[in-house]
Amino acid sequence: MLPGSFRQRMSVILAEDRKCTSQKQRGCSVRKSWMKYRPGESMRRETDPVQRRNENSRNEKKQLVRRRRKVLLILFLVLLIFGAAFGYFLYQNSYVGKVAKGYDALQMKEYQTAEKYFKHAIGKNAQRAEAYSGLAETYMEQDEGDEAESVFLSAIASYPSNEELYRAAISFYEETKQLDKISEILEDCDDESVLSSLKAYVSTEPVFSLDDGKYSEVQEVTLSASGETIYYTTDGTNPTSSSTKYTEPILLNEEGKTQIKAIAYNKKKIPSLVVSKTYEIEFPVADAPVVTPSTGQYSTATQISITVPEGYTAYYTTDGSTPTTESSLYTGPIEMPEGQTLFSTVLVGKTGKMTQITKRIIFISRSKSWLIFLDKHFVKMQGDFLTKMSLVFVHYLTKKNGSFVV
């Protein structure tokens, strides 16, 4: 027979053991206390009501903490999913999202859809270059090169200090092999910071040593461009890298107008703008040569002399034909033969330019001297007779010149 106090203690332990068993806590402190119990040992610590209440309270708190953790975890997951969905929505409607959709549509060759997305992106941020590049690429895929170029020109016109837009335009011209257009857009840029950042693309125009205009002497034209290769033409066509390469001054030694067009290429093979200048060379010309004696009839041997200015050469004919450089070269006074001589002479300068022609009609007669003065209505004769040939000669002069002056 167990003592009463012992039976009471055992009853309490068994009741707690059943409680632990129902809660699947077979490792609880009460169970362990029972397993450790030995007859004669005190069970005051295990069966102390205050201690039991404290331990029950601790267990309840632990369960409460676990439940709270589960609630917080579920709430966090819900918020995470909602945040991801909201972020995805924002991304799809953002500048980057619109650009990404535009390129996806472009890859699928859905050009109208791609154009719509790129324009929406530009509307969200008009100072970023990706949407402009995508829109230009969409036009190029449809062989609309002018529309593609206008995308960048309009953007630069709206934001002339935006370096990113200039770089996008330069890339477009490089890809489409329109390098000459790069100099055009940079020429119109007034922002020094942009030009400094893009100096590798700047091609300096050639500088002419001589201003265009009219000159009366042979001229030389020198071209220069810092660190760049220069090409030029003199026939009015626009120069390219296939034109004449500039290596020495250009000599202007012929009369007339000469148009020189020059272009420079930098290290990136980007051409500068074409520079053009027009020169006119007109050498001074002496007056028509002075010839003595004057036109008339002479009864004695007569020599014709030509006054030749310095730098000129005189040529002449005695048959009425027009003198050229192939005619007789004048070296001194010329003896006129008896009878009629139609003398013509011209001066030719060092440049090959000819003066006006001077003409003389000389008639040498050994008979009694006579003079003829002829105008349109009157002929005066002095002498004893006029041969039939002379009458023919007078008639010829009247028809050709209208006057005969000694």
Side-chain angles (χ1 to χ4, degrees), residues 15 28 59 83 88 99 110 130 136 147-148 150 160-161 176 183 208 224 238 247 262 295 305 345 385 397 404:
C28 68
N59 289 334
Y88 180 75
V99 171
E110 298 174 356
E130 299 89 350
E147 289 292 332
S150 68
S161 297
T176 56
S183 292
F208 285 61
S224 61
N238 286 330
T247 57
T295 296
S305 299
T345 183
F385 71 94
L397 292 178
F404 181 52

Side-chain angles (χ1 to χ4, degrees), residues 362-390:
I362 306 298
F363 191 85
I364 305 298
S365 175
R366 304 298 183 185
S367 61
K368 185 177 178 180
S369 62
W370 52 270
L371 298 175
I372 299 176
F373 297 88
L374 174 68
D375 63 22
K376 293 181 180 178
H377 303 291
F378 178 74
V379 176
K380 180 180 180 181
M381 295 177 293
Q382 181 178 354
D384 54 349
F385 71 94
L386 190 64
T387 64
K388 184 177 180 179
M389 184 177 290
S390 298

Side-chain angles (χ1 to χ4, degrees), residues 322-341:
T322 300
T324 66
T325 54
E326 301 296 323
S327 302
S328 301
L329 175 65
Y330 177 79
T331 56
I334 306 164
E335 187 76 27
M336 289 291 98
E338 188 172 356
Q340 174 186 310
T341 300

Side-chain angles (χ1 to χ4, degrees), residues 114-300:
E115 182 179 343
K116 179 186 69 174
Y117 281 129
F118 287 129
K119 287 184 176 180
H120 284 174
I122 293 172
K124 289 184 173 295
N125 191 336
Q127 298 196 52
R128 294 184 62 175
E130 299 89 350
Y132 292 107
S133 297
L135 183 58
E137 188 174 343
T138 301
Y139 288 133
M140 290 300 296
E141 287 291 327
Q142 301 175 81
D143 295 326
E144 298 178 6
D146 292 339
E147 289 292 332
E149 182 181 14
S150 68
V151 168
F152 296 106
L153 297 180
S154 299
I156 290 174
S158 299
Y159 304 98
S161 297
N162 191 315
E163 178 186 337
E164 185 179 353
L165 294 179
Y166 276 99
R167 289 190 180 276
I170 290 172
S171 296
F172 168 77
Y173 286 131
E174 287 180 324
E175 291 171 2
T176 56
K177 301 187 184 304
Q178 301 181 77
L179 298 182
D180 56 316
K181 299 291 186 68
I182 296 176
S183 292
E184 291 181 11
I185 61 172
L186 293 179
E187 176 70 15
D188 296 331
C189 180
D190 296 325
D191 193 301
E192 292 298 330
S193 62
V194 172
L195 293 176
S196 178
S197 299
L198 301 175
K199 62 182 179 180
Y201 296 95
V202 176
S203 186
T204 307
E205 300 173 7
V207 177
F208 285 61
S209 63
L210 187 66
D211 292 332
D212 46 3
K214 183 181 290 187
Y215 296 89
S216 59
E217 297 177 341
V218 174
Q219 300 293 325
E220 279 189 348
V221 180
T222 301
L223 305 178
S224 61
S226 178
E228 300 182 0
T229 305
I230 301 174
Y231 298 89
Y232 71 94
T233 62
T234 57
D235 58 1
T237 60
N238 286 330
T240 66
S241 57
S242 300
S243 302
T244 304
K245 184 177 181 180
Y246 176 80
T247 57
E248 60 184 5
I250 304 169
L251 184 64
L252 303 177
N253 59 353
E254 295 183 3
E255 275 200 319
K257 291 183 178 181
T258 301
Q259 184 181 28
I260 300 177
K261 290 186 175 183
I263 193 170
Y265 284 78
N266 64 11
K267 293 180 180 180
K268 286 184 173 290
K269 306 302 180 183
I270 296 175
S272 69
L273 297 179
V274 175
V275 182
S276 175
K277 289 187 181 295
T278 301
Y279 303 97
E280 183 176 359
I281 304 298
E282 185 175 352
F283 300 117
V285 180
D287 295 332
V290 176
V291 177
T292 56
S294 59
T295 296
Q297 178 179 337
Y298 299 91
S299 60
T300 58

Side-chain angles (χ1 to χ4, degrees), residues 25 54-64:
Q25 293 180 347
N54 292 336
E55 190 163 344
N56 289 338
S57 177
R58 286 194 298 270
N59 289 334
E60 290 175 357
K61 288 181 179 180
K62 289 180 180 179
Q63 291 177 5
L64 181 60

